[in-house]
Amino acid sequence: MATPHSSTELTSRGKVVLCLAGLAAGAAWIGGDENARLAAAMLAAPILIDFVAKQRRLHFTGVRLAARRTVAGAVYIETLHVEHQGRRPLRNCQLYEPRSMRGEPAVLLPTLQPFEPQRIDVRQRSLVRSHVLERVFVLESQWPLGMFATRSVVSAETDLITEPMRASLRADVLDAAADAEIAPVDRSMLPGPEFQALREYLPEEDARGVHALRSASLGTLVRRVTRGRMPRTIGVVLDLRRPPGQPRGRGLRRCEWSLGACASLVEELHRRGSVSRVLVVDTEPEQIEVKGASQLTELMTMLSEASLSMHHGLNPELLANIELLSHCYWIPAGGFTRAPELRDMPGQVSLIVEDEE
């Protein structure tokens, strides 16, 4: 965690005034002119006054905010609760967060009275896919005369999850698994699922299945139960391995696009009612089956933390559950498009590469 502290330095205005005061003092010392001495004193006075009256306890200010989940590049409004815990009020302070306010101006805060929280709405944008556990803000004040600037680093322990920027996928790629759809479980002649019953809604289930009118009349959430077409299970392999011999630092742009493509694909499959069995091939492979909103959130958090790994072999047992499926999507995020595991997949496989989109 960042250590709270305050620092004081000359502003551009202060540097100019100090330089002029030095020139005037030098001229008075060399020539002994009374006007030069008066000018030097008049120029040095605001610098001395500003230094003595400067606010130096900015690090006694605390910032509280809730955890945030966003998509890379998306604009959002963050609500901050700022509270100063010093003895004297702070005036004319500006607040900004370097990570998420690169293109946004600093926010001018109202006068912060001791132990009186202020609610501030800040426009932010997280540009880098990441998962950080600490938010770091910079508090700056040039009060009263602007010759010196006092800065303080203020931190808050809260999560900021920046998911990958979504990528556009062609319609034929998204519909590639349509032919592998499982047949209906009953003999209904209807083309889609038909209503069977109502039951209590569970928190981990998709909210789109809630019956709105019946829930309103009963005062509790209930969801529809249908029969007909079962949600098909589709495999998704996200390969983060670099090709053999590729050095570090290459293929980062392709990796970011591939992570965004994986997020877009799984979201669309979830929207269509399919179950996604996702295998992330990393230094330590992970597998997750996306059946509901909670698993989808867990996958997005995993993608926000993902990074490329060096080339290594893949245990065939990890692909056993994927090979049983009739269709699979393979995303070579590390650029390893000729993986032997991809070539030996028994079912239908769709390779998702940026150049083909």
Side-chain angles (χ1 to χ4, degrees):
M1 182 175 180
T3 303
H5 65 278
S6 296
S7 61
T8 304
E9 62 182 26
L10 282 167
T11 62
S12 300
R13 182 188 301 110
K15 292 178 181 179
V16 172
V17 175
L18 182 61
C19 182
L20 293 176
L23 292 176
W29 180 70
I30 294 174
D33 188 0
E34 294 296 334
N35 294 328
R37 292 176 184 170
L38 179 60
M42 294 178 64
L43 290 170
I47 297 179
L48 181 60
I49 294 174
D50 190 61
F51 182 78
V52 172
K54 184 57 64 181
Q55 304 175 131
R56 292 182 174 83
R57 298 183 180 273
L58 272 65
H59 59 278
F60 286 0
T61 303
V63 178
R64 294 182 295 105
L65 67 162
R68 167 70 62 176
R69 178 181 294 271
T70 183
V71 178
V75 178
Y76 59 92
I77 303 298
E78 191 70 88
T79 300
L80 310 177
H81 297 273
V82 184
E83 181 179 357
H84 179 54
Q85 300 176 355
R87 293 178 299 176
R88 299 179 179 178
L90 294 181
R91 299 178 175 85
N92 294 344
C93 293
Q94 292 183 328
L95 181 71
Y96 66 95
E97 185 180 14
R99 171 182 289 272
S100 59
M101 297 179 65
R102 295 180 181 177
E104 301 292 336
V107 178
L108 180 62
L109 302 179
T111 300
L112 299 178
Q113 300 293 338
F115 301 98
E116 292 185 6
Q118 297 282 350
R119 176 175 173 175
I120 309 297
D121 292 332
V122 183
R123 175 185 169 95
Q124 295 185 334
R125 183 200 307 261
S126 182
L127 299 176
V128 181
R129 176 186 58 86
S130 59
H131 181 190
V132 298
L133 305 178
E134 180 187 37
R135 305 284 294 271
V136 179
F137 298 86
V138 176
L139 190 64
E140 179 180 343
S141 176
Q142 297 184 11
W143 188 86
L145 301 180
M147 302 298 167
F148 291 89
T150 303
R151 293 185 180 90
S152 176
V153 176
V154 182
S155 60
E157 292 186 357
T158 185
D159 284 359
L160 173 61
I161 300 176
T162 306
E163 300 176 0
M165 183 181 298
R166 302 302 190 258
S168 299
L169 300 175
R170 295 200 315 260
D172 58 331
V173 173
L174 297 174
D175 296 335
D179 296 337
E181 186 176 7
I182 298 177
V185 297
D186 60 355
R187 298 184 178 182
S188 172
M189 299 302 294
L190 299 176
E194 61 178 348
F195 175 80
Q196 182 187 16
L198 293 174
R199 65 169 175 82
E200 183 181 0
Y201 170 76
L202 301 179
E204 64 271 11
E205 294 178 328
D206 191 353
R208 290 173 294 185
V210 173
H211 195 289
L213 296 178
R214 193 60 178 170
S215 299
S217 62
L218 295 178
T220 183
L221 293 179
V222 295
R223 66 158 297 160
R224 297 182 300 270
V225 178
T226 58
R227 298 184 62 185
R229 296 187 183 276
M230 296 178 58
R232 54 189 181 275
T233 302
I234 300 175
V236 178
V237 178
L238 178 63
D239 191 357
L240 296 172
R241 298 175 296 173
R242 292 187 177 92
Q246 185 183 84
R248 295 180 179 272
R250 298 184 59 184
L252 296 181
R253 180 182 177 277
R254 176 179 57 243
C255 175
E256 295 298 327
W257 185 93
S258 300
L259 293 175
C262 180
S264 300
L265 175 63
V266 176
E267 281 184 340
E268 180 62 23
L269 295 178
H270 176 66
R271 188 187 67 82
R272 297 185 179 187
S274 300
V275 176
S276 301
R277 188 172 297 168
V278 183
L279 173 64
V280 180
V281 182
D282 201 351
T283 304
E284 296 182 358
E286 299 183 60
Q287 184 168 323
I288 179 173
E289 195 164 276
V290 180
K291 297 181 179 180
S294 60
Q295 294 87 2
L296 183 61
T297 302
E298 181 181 354
L299 176 64
M300 295 306 165
T301 303
M302 188 184 305
L303 295 180
S304 69
E305 302 170 348
S307 61
L308 295 178
S309 64
M310 299 301 295
H311 176 73
H312 61 276
L314 182 60
N315 189 350
E317 295 180 358
L318 295 174
L319 291 173
N321 294 332
I322 304 294
E323 292 175 349
L324 297 176
L325 304 177
S326 56
H327 192 88
C328 173
Y329 291 96
W330 192 288
I331 307 176
F336 192 26
T337 58
R338 298 182 180 181
E341 298 85 3
L342 172 61
R343 182 181 63 251
D344 298 337
M345 289 288 290
Q348 184 181 358
V349 181
S350 297
L351 184 65
I352 300 180
V353 185
E354 180 181 9
D355 295 337
E356 298 179 359
E357 301 305 322

